[in-house]
Each structure stands twice: as structure tokens, then as C-alpha cells.
Amino acid sequence: MGLLTGIVFLPLAASVLILLLPKDRPGATRWTALLASTATFVLSIGLLTGFRPDASMQFVEKVAWIESIGVDYHMGIDGISLFLVLLTTFLTPLVVLSSWRDIGEKVRAFHAMLLMLETGMLGAFVALDLFLFYIFWELMLIPMYILIGVWGGPRRVYAAVKFVLYTIVGSLLMLVAILALYFMAGGTTFNILELQQTVLSSGAQWWLFAAFGLAFAIKVPIWPLHTWLPDAHVEAPTAGSVILAGVLLKLGTYGFLRFAIPVFPEAAVSFQPILVALAVIGIIYGALVAMVQTDIKKLVAYSSVSHLGYVMLGLFSFNLEAFSGALYQMLNHGLSTGALFLLVGVLYERRHTRMIADYGGIARTVPLFTVAFLVVTFSSIGLPGLNGFVGEFLILVGAFGANRLAGILAALGVVLGACYMLWLTQRFLFGPMRNEENRSLKDLTAREGLVLVPILLLIVYMGVQPRPLLDRMEPALRAALAPVQAVAPTPESPETPLHGFLFGPDSTAAGSAAGEEPR
């Protein structure tokens, strides 16, 4: 068994074990889920330590599976999928720990679904066979539906059904497109790397991109296909919201980056104006609608529409700066928005309300909570020195280079994002205490601090040290960008490394070129 197989299927094995545990031992269930998810994270660190910063697929595992139709059990990672796998394995044990007291009913089923969902997400990120990718893509649907439908709020069934209907429409279209691509490529393989070399007519690319793109656009979600997201977030339990915002939405943007853009480059260029326009609309619309929300959770949900609009803008600007910013912003959004949902869940567990009007002035009673909320808020609005700034800056630089009007409008979205988040902070944490119940609020416990501190440390680290991540992303991003640049070359220079754009010329390389001793 290879390392990737162990990482992907350890959570699934633990979920089966959890279902076999006695029903009257919820503590054993929680500890099993925490240990299994933590072990998965520890294993995934091996991917980072053994990763080479080049464009090749690494830790590859390939075994013939259904030989009659050319399906292989084929997995691997590159600089695109590496950090998304790490994000998934990092957030899952924190979510388990955050739900320690929040979930009191059907504890075994809850943790089994959570770990099954982790397997689905990890498998989708590392699958290099389209048939295998589709299995993991569909596997994610079942546990997320159950998490919302069983442990959600008053309108949980409506939200869960809406989530499934939206997702399954896109999934079925993608299945048709997968089969069409398979037969157009000769009907011998589902290997993504080989299918990328298939020569397709412009018309075939157009239709296949539309089918794949719709499935991914629903998952992102892009405006106007976003309406399932606020309902799902509001009704989902805290753990469901964190996983949904932190990881699940990234499957949509990952799908564009891994499949739709490099496999159908001509169609991607044709669809570029439409998707850039929808991304900009999503940025502005999400920010404006977030600004008028009275429910904190719904505000954060609409902020996701805006933030993921930046990711889509970066992907369809078709240059290295924007591509790198988009992938970096996927990670940023997973951390900052996941942390916001965790913080909202902390207060909801104490006060059982998410209405902004029910709070105010609580900074005096919960100072540790206030510090954590402020750091995450500043990350979300892109304050320099925190992770959100790096991603937004790269996306805006790339967007200005590709489409100046889109760049200007996206910059307006940054201002609007600062407005609604800072206004939320002012009403939520500061000002007069409007409700006497808030005087007795308890600050963060040791367990809640243990959940939040790792995220806060990563938020700061990624803000001041983006280079280790960007250096590992860049080769794979160049490879994904190459087919599009071959169709529609951009002014981006492949000779200039991204870290040179961010940090200036590499001193060692420059000194060596001049015949000087490296310092």
C-alpha cells in the first residue's frame, strides 16, 4: 500500500470502525475519529517533506482496475493538489475537536460521515483517472447531505435537498462529458494526463468544457448558481460549514484548474469573457449582499461567494501571477472562512443565536475570542502581513494584466469586503452591550483555543512567508497554463520565476550569473 492510498482510505476505515463501536460509548467514538484524522494529517506531512518542486506527478500509484475499459487505480500529486490535500487533512481533526460537545445525538453516525467525507475529498484531489475521480466526486455527496439533513438547523431538509439537486445536475452532465471524452480519445483510457494530449475539434471542446464547467461552477459556486450555498451554510452544523467552506468548495475551482482549462484550452479561451464577467459580478454581488445580512453565518456564506469570485477571476486571467494567486487564495479562504465559522459556532454553542443584533460590546467579556476574531477578519479582508493579502495581490496583478476593467472592479470588491467585515466587527464585538446575557459569556476554553491557534499561526505564516508554498506551486501551475498560452499567448514571461516577481531577483542566481561567490 502506497502513502497516498493510506492517506485517502485511513479515514474511511476509521468510519467503518466507528460504526462498529458501542452506541453508549460516545467518548470512544470521538477519540477514534480524532486519532484517525490526526494520523491522516501526520501521514500527509510525508507528502510535503518528500515533495520535489517540479511539474511532475509524484507519489504516483497505478494499478490496473477495470482493464476491459481502461480504468486504472491511478493516484498522484503535484504542486496544485499537494496543499489542497494538506488543507483537508489539517482541517478535519480540528473540526472533530470543535464538535466534541456540539454533537450529542447520533455521535457514531456523525463522525462516520465526517471521515467518509474526508476520504471523498482527498480521493478527488489525488485521482489521476477520470473514472476514479468521478467516484470520489459522488462519494462526497452522500455524507455532506446526511450531515446537513440530520444535524442541521430547522430548515435542514430543504437545504440538504437543494444542495443535492444542484450538485447532481452538474455531476450527471460531467459524467456524460467524461464518457464523450473517453470515446473521442479512442475508448482506451481514462488517464487524465493522456486525455490532455488528445486533439479535439473546437466544437467538441466547447461542449465538453460547458459540461465540465457547469459541474465545477455549481460546486464553486459561481453567481448565479450560488443560491444553494447560503442555505447549506446556515442550516449545516458548525463542522459541516467548516468543511463545506474550507475544502468542499475548492473542488470546483480545482476542477477548473486540473481538468477544464488544460484539457480544453481553446474552449477555455472562448469562455474567458463570460467567466471573468461572472466572477466580477460574484465579487461585487457577494460583498453587497453580505453587507445587509443580519445573520452572521449567512454573512460569512455570502462572503464566500465574493472570495471565490476572486479565485475564478485569477484562473481565467490566464497568467502565472493570477494562477498562483488563485491557488493561494483557495488555501487562504479555507483557513480564514473555516475559522470564521468555527468562531461563530463557539458563540452559538453559548447563546444559541447568530443574529448580529443579539451581540455588541462582547469584546470586554471575551477578550481571547475578540483577538482571534480580529486576526481572522483582517486575514479575510487582505491585511498586509496576513495570508489573504498575498492571494488577493497576486490575483489583482494578474487580472490587471489580462483585463484592466475586471481588475478595477475586483479592486472595488476588496474595498467592499473591508466595509462589511469591519462593520460586522464594530456591531458584533464593540459598542454598547445591548444584551445583558452577554455579560456572562465565557471566553475561549482550552479545547477551543487548541482548535483555533494552529489556524491563526498558519494565517500569519502564510502572510509573511509565502515563498515556500509558491515555489512548490509554480512548476505545476506553469504546466497547467501552458496549453492555454499555446492557444492564446499572454505577455507573461516564462523566464521570470514567480518568487522573482514577488521578492525581486534571486540573489544567489544573480550572483552566480555574474561570476560572484553566492552569499
Side-chain angles (χ1 to χ4, degrees), residues 144-157:
M144 195 67 218
Y145 169 77
I146 295 173
L147 285 172
I148 298 172
V150 175
W151 293 276
R155 300 176 71 242
R156 57 186 179 272
V157 175

mmCIF file with all atom_site columns, all heavy atoms in Angstrom, residues 144-157:
data_model
loop_
_atom_site.group_PDB
_atom_site.id
_atom_site.type_symbol
_atom_site.label_atom_id
_atom_site.label_alt_id
_atom_site.label_comp_id
_atom_site.label_asym_id
_atom_site.label_entity_id
_atom_site.label_seq_id
_atom_site.pdbx_PDB_ins_code
_atom_site.Cartn_x
_atom_site.Cartn_y
_atom_site.Cartn_z
_atom_site.occupancy
_atom_site.B_iso_or_equiv
_atom_site.pdbx_formal_charge
_atom_site.auth_seq_id
_atom_site.auth_comp_id
_atom_site.auth_asym_id
_atom_site.auth_atom_id
_atom_site.pdbx_PDB_model_num
ATOM 1   N N   . MET A 1 144 ? -22.165 14.605 2.972  1.00 0.00 ? 144 MET A N   1
ATOM 2   C CA  . MET A 1 144 ? -22.494 16.016 3.178  1.00 0.00 ? 144 MET A CA  1
ATOM 3   C C   . MET A 1 144 ? -24.003 16.200 3.264  1.00 0.00 ? 144 MET A C   1
ATOM 4   O O   . MET A 1 144 ? -24.494 16.996 4.088  1.00 0.00 ? 144 MET A O   1
ATOM 5   C CB  . MET A 1 144 ? -21.927 16.857 2.031  1.00 0.00 ? 144 MET A CB  1
ATOM 6   C CG  . MET A 1 144 ? -21.899 18.347 2.331  1.00 0.00 ? 144 MET A CG  1
ATOM 7   S SD  . MET A 1 144 ? -20.729 18.732 3.652  1.00 0.00 ? 144 MET A SD  1
ATOM 8   C CE  . MET A 1 144 ? -21.597 20.013 4.531  1.00 0.00 ? 144 MET A CE  1
ATOM 9   N N   . TYR A 1 145 ? -24.737 15.471 2.461  1.00 0.00 ? 145 TYR A N   1
ATOM 10  C CA  . TYR A 1 145 ? -26.208 15.515 2.513  1.00 0.00 ? 145 TYR A CA  1
ATOM 11  C C   . TYR A 1 145 ? -26.703 15.083 3.897  1.00 0.00 ? 145 TYR A C   1
ATOM 12  O O   . TYR A 1 145 ? -27.575 15.721 4.489  1.00 0.00 ? 145 TYR A O   1
ATOM 13  C CB  . TYR A 1 145 ? -26.788 14.605 1.427  1.00 0.00 ? 145 TYR A CB  1
ATOM 14  C CG  . TYR A 1 145 ? -28.268 14.362 1.551  1.00 0.00 ? 145 TYR A CG  1
ATOM 15  C CD1 . TYR A 1 145 ? -29.188 15.330 1.154  1.00 0.00 ? 145 TYR A CD1 1
ATOM 16  C CD2 . TYR A 1 145 ? -28.755 13.159 2.067  1.00 0.00 ? 145 TYR A CD2 1
ATOM 17  C CE1 . TYR A 1 145 ? -30.560 15.106 1.270  1.00 0.00 ? 145 TYR A CE1 1
ATOM 18  C CE2 . TYR A 1 145 ? -30.121 12.930 2.181  1.00 0.00 ? 145 TYR A CE2 1
ATOM 19  C CZ  . TYR A 1 145 ? -31.010 13.907 1.787  1.00 0.00 ? 145 TYR A CZ  1
ATOM 20  O OH  . TYR A 1 145 ? -32.355 13.686 1.907  1.00 0.00 ? 145 TYR A OH  1
ATOM 21  N N   . ILE A 1 146 ? -26.120 14.008 4.433  1.00 0.00 ? 146 ILE A N   1
ATOM 22  C CA  . ILE A 1 146 ? -26.548 13.499 5.733  1.00 0.00 ? 146 ILE A CA  1
ATOM 23  C C   . ILE A 1 146 ? -26.149 14.465 6.848  1.00 0.00 ? 146 ILE A C   1
ATOM 24  O O   . ILE A 1 146 ? -26.927 14.706 7.785  1.00 0.00 ? 146 ILE A O   1
ATOM 25  C CB  . ILE A 1 146 ? -25.967 12.091 5.972  1.00 0.00 ? 146 ILE A CB  1
ATOM 26  C CG1 . ILE A 1 146 ? -26.564 11.112 4.955  1.00 0.00 ? 146 ILE A CG1 1
ATOM 27  C CG2 . ILE A 1 146 ? -26.250 11.616 7.390  1.00 0.00 ? 146 ILE A CG2 1
ATOM 28  C CD1 . ILE A 1 146 ? -25.950 9.730  4.990  1.00 0.00 ? 146 ILE A CD1 1
ATOM 29  N N   . LEU A 1 147 ? -24.944 15.033 6.775  1.00 0.00 ? 147 LEU A N   1
ATOM 30  C CA  . LEU A 1 147 ? -24.508 15.971 7.811  1.00 0.00 ? 147 LEU A CA  1
ATOM 31  C C   . LEU A 1 147 ? -25.452 17.163 7.914  1.00 0.00 ? 147 LEU A C   1
ATOM 32  O O   . LEU A 1 147 ? -25.805 17.610 9.005  1.00 0.00 ? 147 LEU A O   1
ATOM 33  C CB  . LEU A 1 147 ? -23.085 16.457 7.510  1.00 0.00 ? 147 LEU A CB  1
ATOM 34  C CG  . LEU A 1 147 ? -21.948 15.471 7.797  1.00 0.00 ? 147 LEU A CG  1
ATOM 35  C CD1 . LEU A 1 147 ? -20.625 16.020 7.277  1.00 0.00 ? 147 LEU A CD1 1
ATOM 36  C CD2 . LEU A 1 147 ? -21.845 15.176 9.283  1.00 0.00 ? 147 LEU A CD2 1
ATOM 37  N N   . ILE A 1 148 ? -25.867 17.695 6.759  1.00 0.00 ? 148 ILE A N   1
ATOM 38  C CA  . ILE A 1 148 ? -26.794 18.833 6.776  1.00 0.00 ? 148 ILE A CA  1
ATOM 39  C C   . ILE A 1 148 ? -28.194 18.378 7.180  1.00 0.00 ? 148 ILE A C   1
ATOM 40  O O   . ILE A 1 148 ? -28.852 18.994 8.018  1.00 0.00 ? 148 ILE A O   1
ATOM 41  C CB  . ILE A 1 148 ? -26.835 19.525 5.395  1.00 0.00 ? 148 ILE A CB  1
ATOM 42  C CG1 . ILE A 1 148 ? -25.465 20.094 5.038  1.00 0.00 ? 148 ILE A CG1 1
ATOM 43  C CG2 . ILE A 1 148 ? -27.885 20.646 5.382  1.00 0.00 ? 148 ILE A CG2 1
ATOM 44  C CD1 . ILE A 1 148 ? -25.371 20.618 3.618  1.00 0.00 ? 148 ILE A CD1 1
ATOM 45  N N   . GLY A 1 149 ? -28.649 17.268 6.585  1.00 0.00 ? 149 GLY A N   1
ATOM 46  C CA  . GLY A 1 149 ? -30.035 16.840 6.769  1.00 0.00 ? 149 GLY A CA  1
ATOM 47  C C   . GLY A 1 149 ? -30.350 16.291 8.150  1.00 0.00 ? 149 GLY A C   1
ATOM 48  O O   . GLY A 1 149 ? -31.513 16.331 8.578  1.00 0.00 ? 149 GLY A O   1
ATOM 49  N N   . VAL A 1 150 ? -29.354 15.763 8.862  1.00 0.00 ? 150 VAL A N   1
ATOM 50  C CA  . VAL A 1 150 ? -29.613 15.154 10.172 1.00 0.00 ? 150 VAL A CA  1
ATOM 51  C C   . VAL A 1 150 ? -29.243 16.095 11.317 1.00 0.00 ? 150 VAL A C   1
ATOM 52  O O   . VAL A 1 150 ? -29.987 16.236 12.292 1.00 0.00 ? 150 VAL A O   1
ATOM 53  C CB  . VAL A 1 150 ? -28.852 13.815 10.310 1.00 0.00 ? 150 VAL A CB  1
ATOM 54  C CG1 . VAL A 1 150 ? -29.023 13.240 11.716 1.00 0.00 ? 150 VAL A CG1 1
ATOM 55  C CG2 . VAL A 1 150 ? -29.344 12.821 9.264  1.00 0.00 ? 150 VAL A CG2 1
ATOM 56  N N   . TRP A 1 151 ? -28.087 16.759 11.220 1.00 0.00 ? 151 TRP A N   1
ATOM 57  C CA  . TRP A 1 151 ? -27.603 17.571 12.337 1.00 0.00 ? 151 TRP A CA  1
ATOM 58  C C   . TRP A 1 151 ? -27.721 19.075 12.064 1.00 0.00 ? 151 TRP A C   1
ATOM 59  O O   . TRP A 1 151 ? -27.157 19.876 12.804 1.00 0.00 ? 151 TRP A O   1
ATOM 60  C CB  . TRP A 1 151 ? -26.149 17.228 12.642 1.00 0.00 ? 151 TRP A CB  1
ATOM 61  C CG  . TRP A 1 151 ? -26.000 15.840 13.182 1.00 0.00 ? 151 TRP A CG  1
ATOM 62  C CD1 . TRP A 1 151 ? -26.154 15.436 14.476 1.00 0.00 ? 151 TRP A CD1 1
ATOM 63  C CD2 . TRP A 1 151 ? -25.679 14.660 12.448 1.00 0.00 ? 151 TRP A CD2 1
ATOM 64  N NE1 . TRP A 1 151 ? -25.944 14.088 14.594 1.00 0.00 ? 151 TRP A NE1 1
ATOM 65  C CE2 . TRP A 1 151 ? -25.650 13.578 13.362 1.00 0.00 ? 151 TRP A CE2 1
ATOM 66  C CE3 . TRP A 1 151 ? -25.419 14.402 11.098 1.00 0.00 ? 151 TRP A CE3 1
ATOM 67  C CZ2 . TRP A 1 151 ? -25.368 12.263 12.955 1.00 0.00 ? 151 TRP A CZ2 1
ATOM 68  C CZ3 . TRP A 1 151 ? -25.141 13.110 10.696 1.00 0.00 ? 151 TRP A CZ3 1
ATOM 69  C CH2 . TRP A 1 151 ? -25.115 12.059 11.623 1.00 0.00 ? 151 TRP A CH2 1
ATOM 70  N N   . GLY A 1 152 ? -28.464 19.445 11.043 1.00 0.00 ? 152 GLY A N   1
ATOM 71  C CA  . GLY A 1 152 ? -28.603 20.857 10.686 1.00 0.00 ? 152 GLY A CA  1
ATOM 72  C C   . GLY A 1 152 ? -29.683 21.570 11.475 1.00 0.00 ? 152 GLY A C   1
ATOM 73  O O   . GLY A 1 152 ? -30.228 21.047 12.444 1.00 0.00 ? 152 GLY A O   1
ATOM 74  N N   . GLY A 1 153 ? -30.003 22.792 11.015 1.00 0.00 ? 153 GLY A N   1
ATOM 75  C CA  . GLY A 1 153 ? -30.975 23.638 11.685 1.00 0.00 ? 153 GLY A CA  1
ATOM 76  C C   . GLY A 1 153 ? -32.403 23.313 11.315 1.00 0.00 ? 153 GLY A C   1
ATOM 77  O O   . GLY A 1 153 ? -32.691 22.246 10.727 1.00 0.00 ? 153 GLY A O   1
ATOM 78  N N   . PRO A 1 154 ? -33.342 24.222 11.592 1.00 0.00 ? 154 PRO A N   1
ATOM 79  C CA  . PRO A 1 154 ? -34.772 23.956 11.380 1.00 0.00 ? 154 PRO A CA  1
ATOM 80  C C   . PRO A 1 154 ? -35.128 23.651 9.922  1.00 0.00 ? 154 PRO A C   1
ATOM 81  O O   . PRO A 1 154 ? -36.030 22.861 9.669  1.00 0.00 ? 154 PRO A O   1
ATOM 82  C CB  . PRO A 1 154 ? -35.443 25.258 11.848 1.00 0.00 ? 154 PRO A CB  1
ATOM 83  C CG  . PRO A 1 154 ? -34.449 25.894 12.772 1.00 0.00 ? 154 PRO A CG  1
ATOM 84  C CD  . PRO A 1 154 ? -33.102 25.519 12.261 1.00 0.00 ? 154 PRO A CD  1
ATOM 85  N N   . ARG A 1 155 ? -34.437 24.276 8.962  1.00 0.00 ? 155 ARG A N   1
ATOM 86  C CA  . ARG A 1 155 ? -34.747 24.054 7.542  1.00 0.00 ? 155 ARG A CA  1
ATOM 87  C C   . ARG A 1 155 ? -33.696 23.145 6.898  1.00 0.00 ? 155 ARG A C   1
ATOM 88  O O   . ARG A 1 155 ? -33.368 23.282 5.725  1.00 0.00 ? 155 ARG A O   1
ATOM 89  C CB  . ARG A 1 155 ? -34.816 25.402 6.817  1.00 0.00 ? 155 ARG A CB  1
ATOM 90  C CG  . ARG A 1 155 ? -35.874 26.329 7.393  1.00 0.00 ? 155 ARG A CG  1
ATOM 91  C CD  . ARG A 1 155 ? -35.879 27.699 6.729  1.00 0.00 ? 155 ARG A CD  1
ATOM 92  N NE  . ARG A 1 155 ? -36.381 27.654 5.360  1.00 0.00 ? 155 ARG A NE  1
ATOM 93  C CZ  . ARG A 1 155 ? -35.660 27.982 4.295  1.00 0.00 ? 155 ARG A CZ  1
ATOM 94  N NH1 . ARG A 1 155 ? -34.399 28.336 4.425  1.00 0.00 ? 155 ARG A NH1 1
ATOM 95  N NH2 . ARG A 1 155 ? -36.197 27.950 3.090  1.00 0.00 ? 155 ARG A NH2 1
ATOM 96  N N   . ARG A 1 156 ? -33.198 22.205 7.666  1.00 0.00 ? 156 ARG A N   1
ATOM 97  C CA  . ARG A 1 156 ? -32.087 21.376 7.205  1.00 0.00 ? 156 ARG A CA  1
ATOM 98  C C   . ARG A 1 156 ? -32.456 20.486 6.019  1.00 0.00 ? 156 ARG A C   1
ATOM 99  O O   . ARG A 1 156 ? -31.634 20.289 5.121  1.00 0.00 ? 156 ARG A O   1
ATOM 100 C CB  . ARG A 1 156 ? -31.552 20.521 8.349  1.00 0.00 ? 156 ARG A CB  1
ATOM 101 C CG  . ARG A 1 156 ? -32.573 19.614 9.014  1.00 0.00 ? 156 ARG A CG  1
ATOM 102 C CD  . ARG A 1 156 ? -31.991 18.917 10.233 1.00 0.00 ? 156 ARG A CD  1
ATOM 103 N NE  . ARG A 1 156 ? -32.953 18.061 10.900 1.00 0.00 ? 156 ARG A NE  1
ATOM 104 C CZ  . ARG A 1 156 ? -33.785 18.471 11.852 1.00 0.00 ? 156 ARG A CZ  1
ATOM 105 N NH1 . ARG A 1 156 ? -33.769 19.746 12.227 1.00 0.00 ? 156 ARG A NH1 1
ATOM 106 N NH2 . ARG A 1 156 ? -34.639 17.641 12.421 1.00 0.00 ? 156 ARG A NH2 1
ATOM 107 N N   . VAL A 1 157 ? -33.685 19.953 6.016  1.00 0.00 ? 157 VAL A N   1
ATOM 108 C CA  . VAL A 1 157 ? -34.070 19.058 4.923  1.00 0.00 ? 157 VAL A CA  1
ATOM 109 C C   . VAL A 1 157 ? -34.133 19.829 3.607  1.00 0.00 ? 157 VAL A C   1
ATOM 110 O O   . VAL A 1 157 ? -33.627 19.367 2.566  1.00 0.00 ? 157 VAL A O   1
ATOM 111 C CB  . VAL A 1 157 ? -35.419 18.375 5.231  1.00 0.00 ? 157 VAL A CB  1
ATOM 112 C CG1 . VAL A 1 157 ? -35.880 17.549 4.034  1.00 0.00 ? 157 VAL A CG1 1
ATOM 113 C CG2 . VAL A 1 157 ? -35.306 17.502 6.477  1.00 0.00 ? 157 VAL A CG2 1
#
